[in-house]
């Protein structure tokens, strides 16, 4: 009986694997199709200065509205796009879309903030990445100084030398570089001195409980101070409460991003949000 149960379990496991494979293959085809059918959209989440609460940046975050399945989160399809080569066309689509949007906002009223774009490791080390970026800044007359590329620790760990070379090239052109989700990987502090970063974005898993978890509070506070001494700006990600903001203010963190100010919103609402904030700024 045990043997039989075992075999049953195995075939259940097998068919589970098959289903998993099948759904991955389907998803692959669907992402490919969705790029052509323009099912993707970019949302934007504002970043605010801790000092005066002005908008200092916006992060572009991809959204997929599937015609039958509805909303699919990037946490689901980005990893699959990364496993396959689809992240290259998808990543290129994001860059062009974000630049076009930036140009549009800039036409309405001159933009004083930077635009952050998430770059996957595979995309970042691809030989065509920098040439593509250069063509795109030209096409949409975007100044590279206003573009902040968010990379992750895993990229730096697996391809240290190549990453350093690419960062140097990008910095020479004028692009800004942010290390996203900082603190979640195995990055040691030496990376902070090895890479010429403009900012680090402290991961939300640390920010979430800074007001209740003394260890996380200590880590965040120390990261801010180390980064400051290296002339690296610090963004706190996932700030949801006033209390968290007050802690970060006290520690002299530079920028915050999170639901406390705004969730990621469609480009049109972001344009309004920005204008609204400018008005407040001009009035005070
Ligand atoms: P990320 O770059 O670390 O983005 C931050 C995530 O945290 C976003 O999730 C954002 O909506 C969410 N978030 C922001 N503030 C708060 C908050 O106060 N509370 C909570 N609970 N969450 C908050 P999202 O948009 O689902 O994106 C997830 C991840 O997918 C991103 O993490 C990024 O790694 C990836 N991703 C999104 N768009 C792109 C893209 O265009 N290209 C690439 N390569 N990856 C992307
Ligand atoms: Mg990011
Ligand atoms: Mg992040
Ligand atoms: Mg992330």
């Amino acid at each position: 009986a045990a043997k039989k149960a075992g075999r049953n379990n195995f075939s259940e496991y097998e068919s589970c694997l098959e289903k998993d494979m099948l759904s991955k293959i389907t998803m692959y085809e669907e992402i490919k199709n969705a790029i052509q059918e323009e099912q993707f959209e970019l949302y934007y989440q504002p970043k605010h200065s801790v000092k005066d609460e002005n908008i200092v940046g916006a992060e572009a975050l991809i959204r997929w509205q599937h015609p039958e399945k509805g909303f699919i989160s990037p946490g689901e399809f980005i990893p699959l796009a990364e496993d396959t080569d689809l992240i290259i066309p998808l990543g290129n689509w994001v860059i062009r879309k974000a630049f076009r949007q930036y140009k549009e906002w800039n036409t309405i009223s001159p933009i004083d903030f930077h635009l952050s774009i998430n770059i996957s490791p595979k995309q970042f080390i691809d030989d065509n990445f920098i040439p593509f970026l250069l063509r795109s800044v030209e096409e949409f007359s975007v100044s590279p100084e206003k573009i902040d590329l968010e990379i992750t620790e895993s990229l730096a760990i697996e391809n240290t030398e190549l990453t350093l070379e690419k960062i140097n090239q990008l910095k020479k052109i004028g692009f800004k570089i942010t290390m996203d989700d900082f603190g979640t990987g195995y990055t040691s502090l030496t990376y902070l001195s090895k890479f010429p970063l403009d900012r680090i974005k402290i991961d939300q898993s640390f920010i979430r409980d800074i007001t209740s978890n003394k260890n996380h509070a200590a880590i965040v506070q120390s990261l801010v101070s180390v980064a400051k001494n290296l002339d690296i700006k610090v963004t706190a990600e996932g700030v949801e409460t006033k209390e968290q903001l007050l802690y970060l203010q006290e520690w002299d963190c530079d920028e915050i991003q999170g639901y406390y100010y705004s969730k990621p919103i469609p480009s049109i609402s972001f344009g309004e949000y920005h204008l609204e904030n400018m008005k407040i700024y001009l009035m005070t």
Side-chain angles (χ1 to χ4, degrees):
K3 218 176 179 180
K4 203 175 162 203
R7 208 175 288 140
N8 275 344
N9 278 345
F10 183 71
S11 63
E12 232 168 70
Y13 171 71
E14 237 181 354
S15 81
C16 227
L17 266 186
E18 259 168 39
K19 253 191 232 150
D20 201 42
M21 281 269 284
L22 206 68
S23 80
K24 273 191 180 159
I25 294 167
T26 317
M27 182 88 116
Y28 174 84
E29 289 300 329
E30 284 186 320
I31 297 174
K32 228 164 72 177
N33 183 51
I35 298 174
Q36 278 170 350
E37 307 263 308
E38 289 271 334
Q39 287 169 14
F40 293 108
E41 199 185 336
L42 289 185
Y43 273 36
Y44 297 86
Q45 187 179 34
K47 266 205 290 189
H48 288 255
S49 152
V50 170
K51 221 176 269 155
D52 54 21
E53 303 199 51
N54 284 331
I55 296 186
V56 288
E59 177 176 15
L61 292 157
I62 196 166
R63 295 291 177 261
W64 183 7
Q65 198 60 45
H66 190 284
E68 287 110 43
K69 294 176 186 158
F71 174 73
I72 304 176
S73 105
E76 246 179 278
F77 66 87
I78 290 287
L80 187 67
E82 276 169 353
D83 281 347
T84 61
D85 284 335
L86 283 179
I87 195 63
I88 306 288
L90 192 59
N92 287 349
W93 178 87
V94 169
I95 289 169
R96 285 177 53 91
K97 185 81 178 173
F99 283 10
R100 176 177 288 128
Q101 186 59 64
Y102 198 76
K103 185 184 177 176
E104 218 168 273
W105 284 330
N106 210 20
T107 323
I108 300 169
S109 75
I111 292 185
D112 47 359
F113 59 80
H114 59 256
L115 181 64
S116 301
I117 302 178
N118 291 288
I119 308 294
S120 290
K122 209 181 229 174
Q123 189 187 0
F124 192 82
I125 57 171
D126 190 89
D127 283 340
N128 292 315
F129 176 62
I130 295 179
F132 183 84
L133 267 181
L134 282 176
R135 281 202 304 278
S136 306
V137 287
E138 185 116 335
E139 180 179 349
F140 298 103
S141 356
V142 169
S143 141
E145 286 77 18
K146 293 289 178 92
I147 302 300
D148 194 313
L149 305 169
E150 295 196 358
I151 59 174
T152 56
E153 292 178 285
S154 64
L155 165 76
I157 293 156
E158 283 162 32
N159 313 280
T160 311
E161 289 316 312
L162 190 55
T163 301
L164 183 57
E165 197 185 304
K166 300 266 176 185
I167 293 178
N168 282 329
Q169 264 176 280
L170 288 161
K171 296 268 307 181
K172 222 183 250 164
I173 303 165
F175 289 105
K176 301 283 189 283
I177 309 287
T178 290
M179 186 77 86
D180 200 358
D181 305 340
F182 196 85
T184 52
Y186 300 93
T187 323
S188 65
L189 290 179
T190 54
Y191 277 99
L192 284 183
S193 59
K194 187 163 176 113
F195 296 121
L197 301 170
D198 294 283
R199 330 187 135 61
I200 55 169
K201 207 186 245 189
I202 303 179
D203 193 68
Q204 23 188 309
S205 57
F206 293 102
I207 305 301
R208 197 169 297 139
D209 57 2
I210 43 169
T211 57
S212 60
N213 181 329
K214 282 211 172 92
N215 293 342
H216 281 179
I219 289 171
V220 172
Q221 196 175 0
S222 311
L223 280 179
V224 173
S225 116
V226 171
K228 287 252 135 146
N229 286 321
L230 292 167
D231 243 341
I232 296 172
K233 283 212 163 77
V234 184
T235 307
E237 167 171 78
V239 176
E240 296 187 354
T241 67
K242 176 89 186 177
E243 212 188 349
Q244 290 166 332
L245 169 66
L246 291 175
Y247 273 66
L248 293 160
Q249 235 157 14
E250 160 129 7
W251 299 336
D252 212 15
C253 176
D254 301 290
E255 306 159 349
I256 68 165
Q257 188 180 344
Y259 295 174
Y260 175 69
Y261 284 112
S262 171
K263 288 194 169 178
I265 47 180
S267 58
I268 181 131
S269 324
F270 186 85
E272 285 160 14
Y273 182 91
H274 176 233
L275 282 176
E276 209 44 53
N277 272 271
M278 288 220 317
K279 265 186 240 144
I280 294 167
Y281 176 63
L282 290 173
M283 268 161 26
T284 51

